[in-house]
Structures are given as C-alpha cells and as structure tokens.
Amino acid sequence: MGGTPGTWSPDGADRPEAVARQEWFDDTPTDPRLPVLPPPPPARSRAAAVLLNLTGIGVGYAYLGRRVRAWVAAVVAVALVLIACSIDAAESPRLWLAVAVVWLAALALDAHRLAARHPRPHDRSARTAAVLAGALAGVVDAGADAGYGLAGRAARDDATAAQAAGDCATATAGFDAVTGPYRLAPGADVAGARRARVECEDYQRAVESRQGDRHPRAVAGFLRFRQDHPDSVLGPFARENLVESYAAWARELTEDQRLDDAVVVYRDLVEEEPSFRPEAARTYLLLARTPSSTEPVERAREAVGALLVVVDEFGDTPAAAEVPGALDAAYAEAAAPYARGEFCNALSPLEHFAELTHQATGKVAGEARDALPRAVLECGLGQLREGRSGNAVTTLERFVTAYPGHGDAAQARSALISAKVAVGTGARLPVPAPLGAAGPVRVTFYNGVNAPVSVRVAGSTAHEFDLPACPSCPPSFAPGTGGAACPSFAGLPGHTMGLNAGEHHVLGEYLSATDLAEPLDAGGGPDLYCLYLVRAS
C-alpha cells in the first residue's frame, strides 16, 4: 500500500530511513552477560605484614599471599645462616649485626610497600588480631634468639667450669656444643672454646698415657702441654700429673735395676717437686752400691760419683749419713786385687781413689795413696819375674820418678836396671837385690874404644855405671876383629865391682848404638872384662 510523506506505512515504504536501516541491522541475538572482573585483593594489615616479616624468614610475605617472595626470603635467610656458620659470625658481631639490620629493614619496608596494595580490614577486631599475631611472631622469634644465646653462653660457662675442675671429658663435650650448635650464639666465644678444646685434647692425651703406664710418653706430653699452654687453667692438674708420672717412671726404673736411668729421671723430678729429694738420694746410694760397669775403674768412678752427689746435693737427707760407710765399701772393692796380691790389677782403681780431693773422700784417698807405691813396685817386680821386661821398665820408671825418696827406691832402681838389661839382651832375669848390694867376686870392666859407654850389669845384683872414652883406642872394630880390643888394660878407663857367683848379663850402650857382650859368669871366667864397639859391615 502506498503512502504520502508524513504518514505511516506498515511496510516502511513511506519512510526512507527504515529502508536504509534494514541494510545494516543484524537481528542475531547477543550475549546479555557482563565480562568477569578479577576479585579485589584481600584485606591485610600493614603492621601485621611488617611485624611478620621482621622474623627474618618471609612470614609476612606468606601473610600477604606472596609465596614466591616468601620462599626466596626463607632461602636467603638459610643462606645467611650457613655463611655465618662457615666464617664464625660470632667473632665479628658488629658486622653481622649490621647485616641482620639491613636484611630485616629490607623485609619490613618491602612488606609495608606490598601491604599498601591491600585494603585495610574493616573490622577493627580483625586488624587487632592480625597485629597481635605479627607481634606474637616477633616475640617468639626474639625469645628463640635470646634462648639460643643463653643456651650457648650456658654451654660455654659449664664447659669452662668443667675444664677448671680438670674434667676434660665433660668440658670437651661442652666446647663441642659451643663450636657446633651454638656457634652463632652472641657471647659464646667460639674461638676461646676452640682453644680450650685443644688444651683439653693435649691434656687428655697425656693423661691417657699416664693411665696406661706409658711414663716417658706421659712426661713428654705434660711437659709439651705446659710449654704450649702456659696460662691454661689446667696447668695445676698438668703439674700434678707430671710429678706422678715422673715418680712412677723413676720407681719403675729402680725396680728394673736401671739405676743410671733412674737417677736421671729423679733429678728432673726433684727439680719439679723437691719433696722427692730423700727418695732420689736413696737411689743414688743404691747406684753407688751396685754400679753397672764391670771394669774396676769405671765401677769405682760410678760409685764415688754417685756418693759425692748425695753429699753435695742431698746432704740434708738421711742417705747422706750412709755415705762414709758406702765410700769404705767402694774402696774395699776397688782395693780387693791389692789384698789378693794382684798388684797390677789394683793400680788403676787405687790411682782413682788416690786422686780424689773431695773432703768426704779424705779417708779412702789417704789409704789409696799409702797403698799405691807398693802396688806400683810389686807390679813392676812381678812383670820382671814373668819375663814382661818391657812392661816392667815402664812400671818401675814410674815408681822411681813418682817416689824417689821412698824406702823401696833402691829395690826399684835395681829392678829397673835388670829390666832394661833384659829388654836389651832378651834374657829373662830374676829380681836383683836392692841397688848397692855387692858380692865377693871382683870384676873390672874396661872401655876399649874411643867412645863413652853406659854399662848395666844384672844378675843376682844389679849395677849401673858409665865409662869415659879411651883417647888412644880406635873408635870401633871391624866385624871379626874384636879380639884385638884391649891388647893391654894399662891406661884404659875401667870400673871394678863385686858380684855374686853366677850368671850376669851385661848391656853396654855407646851413644845411639848398642853392643851386647857375652854373658858374664862371675867366678867362673876372667875378672877383667873388655867392652868394645863393632862397626856395621
């Protein structure tokens, strides 16, 4: 149906805008629902978040729902604790206090910043409960820290007290706690605990050696402890144990008859504890009575030396009163060969006693000096009888040199002449009568060459004289021409003596040359004896 402008037509023909609308209009139904928006953040208290984060482990982050931050904070807190343990943070308290303050401040500020994005709880009781929970967490944390510190200091104090009482087993366990679980406790003194533990270790090691009767090791351990830890509270206990170790060691050595070693230990013991002086002196006395050497002179030297130590260093002990008797016994042992007639064996021990000058040895030294001359003489005479003429010369020369005015000097000189003749001739000669003795057989000796000669004649008597050179005689004779010597005795230098009947040996010495004449049979041969020198061919 048609229409005119301004009139309504059901099909819209009379409205041009209706026709245009139909071209773009979409009759498809649309979704009537509105888009879903994210929920608002939960209400949180800023104060509670800050207080909870002041625990240092990110609890405030968990309260705010920031789980990642909470885990990161917890990991960082653990890492800081591990680092502090590894470098002994307790030894640098100011540095680590600054680190803790910075860490907690950072956590608190960050919690406050994040909590500002949350609405505040509308309910006042809720706000109060959150703050109280944060405060309670802080109190618990602070209490735990304080309790940890108190426990660390208590462990340190208990360990120190145990160490001062000498109980290193208990002290070591306490010091281990200080350097272990309580190493971060303020005031625990980890370095001091370590030093004290080392002291206990060294001390306990020495104690174990003493308890195991390893006395040398125990003594060395306590001495080393005292040297390494001079100011330790264990010093008095170490000294007490050192004295006991010394004493046990010295007594053990004494029981084992190792007296030389025992007196050395006793000397160290007495230096440490003078009250052991009587015991040490008694050991020296025992050493003097049982010297370890088997050689007579060394036995005498050991015995006298030990006894003089008692006199000089332990004169105020009961053992000193026994020294005179012990010296007499030592001398009697040394002089026993003399009493048995073994004079040569008695020489060295007697010499040792004769040379003593200490006031305490006056008696035995005097006895030795009285016996020594006879021992020397009898030794030389015995050597001559045994045919050991070389030894006899040495011994008898010693006698005539040392005792020129002795009553037996004439006998010694006579025997010395015989010993020298025996050495020169190879003959074995008896001990002659003392020098000056003469016999009824008159024999004259002449010098048949132009060189002075020393003459020794030995047999039952011994004689020694010098003949001057014969100016008119040849200086020597060729081999085989000695019979031409002394063609006439007129004008020749001569010496007449009286000999006993029997064989004598003559030794003539011309300057550095020696000419041995035939043995002289006094009473059975000529009463004139010609001495001459045969030159080498």
Side-chain angles (χ1 to χ4, degrees), residues 54 84 191 303 326 353 383 424 427:
L54 285 177
F353 277 92
Q383 290 168 337

Side-chain angles (χ1 to χ4, degrees), residues 41-359:
R44 290 290 184 262
S45 169
R46 297 179 185 180
V50 170
L51 290 173
L52 289 172
N53 248 17
L54 285 177
T55 59
I57 57 175
V59 178
Y61 290 137
Y63 168 68
L64 296 173
R66 305 303 177 104
R67 296 180 181 179
V68 173
R69 269 187 165 83
W71 278 108
V72 171
V75 170
V76 171
V78 171
L80 287 175
V81 170
L82 293 177
I83 294 173
C85 289
S86 65
I87 63 174
D88 289 340
E91 299 304 308
S92 305
R94 293 183 180 179
L95 171 63
W96 283 92
L97 178 60
V99 171
V101 169
V102 170
W103 172 243
L104 294 177
L107 291 178
L109 291 174
D110 194 43
H112 183 275
R113 182 182 65 83
L114 294 175
R117 300 177 183 178
H118 292 254
R120 296 179 62 186
H122 296 291
D123 188 354
R124 183 175 182 180
S125 61
R127 291 199 304 270
T128 302
V131 171
L132 289 177
L136 178 61
V139 170
V140 170
D141 183 61
D145 289 342
Y148 177 73
L150 290 173
R153 289 190 290 274
R156 179 206 61 191
D157 293 342
D158 292 344
T160 301
Q163 184 188 34
D167 183 5
C168 265
T170 301
T172 298
F175 291 133
D176 285 343
V178 173
T179 59
Y182 298 119
R183 67 190 305 164
L184 297 181
D189 189 11
V190 176
R194 284 201 183 99
R195 290 192 299 271
R197 192 188 192 288
V198 171
E199 291 179 13
C200 269
E201 285 179 351
D202 294 345
Y203 173 78
Q204 198 62 30
R205 190 179 302 113
V207 169
E208 290 172 359
S209 296
R210 184 182 69 80
Q211 293 172 344
D213 293 334
R214 298 187 296 272
H215 307 305
R217 182 177 297 180
V219 166
F222 288 120
L223 289 175
R224 185 167 53 251
F225 174 87
R226 192 161 60 180
Q227 178 180 356
D228 294 343
H229 313 289
D231 300 323
S232 172
V233 295
L234 293 169
F237 300 100
R239 181 186 179 278
E240 180 181 349
N241 279 278
L242 175 62
V243 169
E244 292 177 1
S245 299
Y246 266 135
W249 187 12
R251 289 164 182 164
E252 181 181 273
L253 292 171
T254 302
E255 292 175 0
D256 294 342
Q257 293 299 306
R258 296 169 56 189
L259 301 177
D260 289 325
D261 297 328
V263 295
V264 173
V265 177
Y266 267 117
R267 294 188 71 86
D268 293 335
L269 173 57
V270 167
E271 185 176 348
E272 190 69 38
E273 177 49 64
S275 64
F276 283 87
R277 287 168 50 80
E279 191 172 325
R282 176 63 56 183
T283 306
Y284 270 105
L285 196 63
L286 184 60
L287 173 62
R289 290 169 175 165
T290 56
S292 59
S293 177
T294 58
E295 202 278 322
V297 178
E298 289 303 318
R299 289 179 65 83
R301 184 174 289 109
E302 288 181 18
V304 173
L307 293 172
L308 293 184
V309 169
V310 176
V311 172
D312 293 338
E313 301 183 25
F314 303 99
D316 56 345
T317 63
E322 301 181 41
V323 169
L327 280 172
D328 289 340
Y331 175 74
E333 179 183 343
Y338 179 86
R340 297 192 298 265
E342 300 171 5
F343 298 105
C344 291
N345 292 335
L347 287 182
S348 294
L350 289 176
E351 288 170 357
H352 175 72
F353 277 92
E355 293 171 355
L356 296 176
T357 58
H358 196 284
Q359 182 179 359

